[in-house]
Amino acid sequence: LHARYVLQLLCETKKVLKEMPNITHLSTSYSKEITVCGDLHGNLDDLLLIFYKNGLPSEQNCYVFNGDFVDRGKNSMEIIIILFAFLLIYPNYLHLNRGNHEDYILNLRYGFTKEVSKKYKV
């Protein structure tokens, strides 16, 4: 994805996240399910497999991602782009909890900062 569009996506996502509370309360009824995922660590194949087996996020298919989206794997940027795009489309049905790898120091140590710099030389 061109850097211009990534920047637009990041700016729109920042606006949405600023409006959201720090703590989100979710509940299910007998007719609803929530898929809870964690520790993607930049592995795009894992995210695609989750969506293949459980369906894409939607009003009928709620997801919670419990952090550690980035670092270690080679596709952290693609994961962030996909998750942020779904967050913008379905802000009430896709929830992102921050993990310890969504931290500046860990991003430097485990590779996300290097990946972003390599893919977007701007």
Side-chain angles (χ1 to χ4, degrees):
L1 195 58
H2 190 276
R4 174 186 314 142
Y5 303 118
V6 172
L7 189 56
Q8 285 178 322
L9 177 73
L10 294 175
C11 289
E12 291 302 315
T13 303
K14 183 178 178 181
K15 289 178 195 174
V16 169
L17 290 173
K18 278 185 148 186
E19 296 298 317
M20 291 183 160
N22 285 336
I23 298 174
T24 304
H25 297 276
L26 301 174
S27 65
T28 60
S29 66
Y30 291 113
S31 62
K32 293 245 182 184
E33 293 182 6
I34 297 176
T35 301
V36 180
C37 308
D39 297 286
L40 291 168
H41 285 293
N43 191 338
L44 183 60
D45 290 340
D46 286 353
L47 179 62
L48 297 177
L49 181 62
I50 289 166
F51 287 158
Y52 175 76
K53 289 190 174 235
N54 297 297
L56 294 174
S58 68
E59 292 179 22
Q60 296 76 33
N61 199 15
C62 187
Y63 277 86
V64 176
F65 286 91
N66 279 327
D68 294 355
F69 318 122
V70 301
D71 288 328
R72 296 185 181 145
K74 61 180 182 169
N75 296 112
S76 295
M77 198 62 211
E78 289 80 0
I79 287 175
I80 287 295
I81 289 169
I82 291 167
L83 292 178
F84 285 175
F86 276 119
L87 179 70
L88 292 177
I89 297 167
Y90 299 112
N92 297 319
Y93 303 99
L94 184 121
H95 306 278
L96 303 175
N97 294 322
R98 182 178 174 218
N100 64 318
H101 280 269
E102 283 69 55
D103 176 75
Y104 176 73
I105 297 300
L106 288 179
N107 290 165
L108 285 172
R109 180 177 292 158
Y110 290 102
F112 183 55
T113 303
K114 187 182 281 186
E115 179 186 334
V116 172
S117 297
K118 183 179 173 186
K119 290 180 179 178
Y120 297 98
K121 299 179 190 337
V122 185

